[in-house]
Amino acid sequence: MKLVLSAVLALSAAASAATSLEASKTVTITTPSQAVAALISFQPPKGGWKVEEYANGGGADPVVAFVDGLDRIAVRVFGAPGSGYKNPASFLAGPAASTMGRKPEAIGNITVAGRRLALYKHGFPINLGDPHALSGPTMLGQEIFLILPTSGRRFIVLSYARESPAPDLERRGQKAWRAFLKTVKLAGRKT
């Protein structure tokens, strides 16, 4: 009986210790906004832009976007373990930067966060009309983007997209994006 009681007490003590150890572990849940903020700071666009945040790649690729009608300004982070894109070259060669398989078009340079960076443009298919009906040629929206390297393996894609084949004659979205880019700073760097 003493042996059984000792065994029960030993098992109980082990279970209690395991429960205490499990309770002492803290689980930190990082939102996409927090993951982005650890690498970059910026001022959101002014004038009623709605905020969206989500993560792709099982959480490895956080995204914070600002949407106003057909215009979208996005901050996407890549390069973490499990990321859809390991480095800028893989991003530029992948579907997120191509126009239906064609490489993005280099359209100049821009200074962001104190760095002179290449600016690219590509088209992306947009859905206009009934998706079940056969229609004419594929309509494309346009996205302008740049790649901002960080320290380490991570990199940030900053973009402005217009989800319409028709241009914005007032260029309101592009003006908001240019103003947004002027506020971008890498975490831990003075620019």
Side-chain angles (χ1 to χ4, degrees):
M1 182 72 156
K2 280 186 169 180
L3 185 59
V4 172
L5 184 57
S6 295
V8 169
L9 288 174
L11 286 174
S12 177
S16 178
T19 302
S20 295
L21 179 61
E22 207 51 44
S24 70
K25 291 181 183 177
T26 56
V27 177
T28 304
I29 297 175
T30 302
T31 66
S33 290
Q34 291 169 328
V36 168
L39 298 171
I40 188 174
S41 67
F42 51 81
Q43 292 296 314
K46 295 180 177 156
W49 293 70
K50 295 178 186 172
V51 179
E52 293 179 353
E53 66 176 285
Y54 55 92
N56 296 318
D61 299 333
V63 178
V64 174
F66 304 95
V67 180
D68 185 15
L70 299 173
D71 296 315
R72 177 183 183 86
I73 295 171
V75 179
R76 297 176 282 177
V77 179
F78 299 102
S83 176
Y85 299 104
K86 299 296 180 199
N87 54 48
S90 67
F91 178 81
L92 288 170
S98 70
T99 302
M100 299 175 70
R102 290 189 317 267
K103 291 181 180 182
E105 176 186 350
I107 59 170
N109 294 299
I110 189 167
T111 301
V112 175
R115 297 180 180 186
R116 192 83 174 141
L117 303 167
L119 200 55
Y120 299 93
K121 178 173 80 169
H122 78 106
F124 58 93
I126 55 174
N127 184 12
L128 296 175
D130 183 355
H132 304 290
L134 294 175
S135 60
T138 302
M139 302 297 266
L140 297 177
Q142 295 292 315
E143 182 178 50
I144 300 167
F145 68 92
L146 61 92
I147 298 172
L148 178 61
T150 67
S151 58
R153 297 182 196 189
R154 308 290 303 264
F155 63 98
I156 300 165
V157 176
L158 301 170
S159 65
Y160 162 70
R162 177 136 177 98
E163 195 168 326
S164 172
D168 173 11
L169 298 177
E170 295 176 11
R171 301 171 54 94
R172 193 174 154 278
Q174 283 188 355
K175 289 175 185 174
W177 187 58
R178 294 287 178 149
F180 168 81
L181 291 177
K182 290 178 182 175
T183 71
V184 170
K185 292 182 175 77
L186 286 169
R189 285 191 61 176
K190 294 179 183 178
T191 54

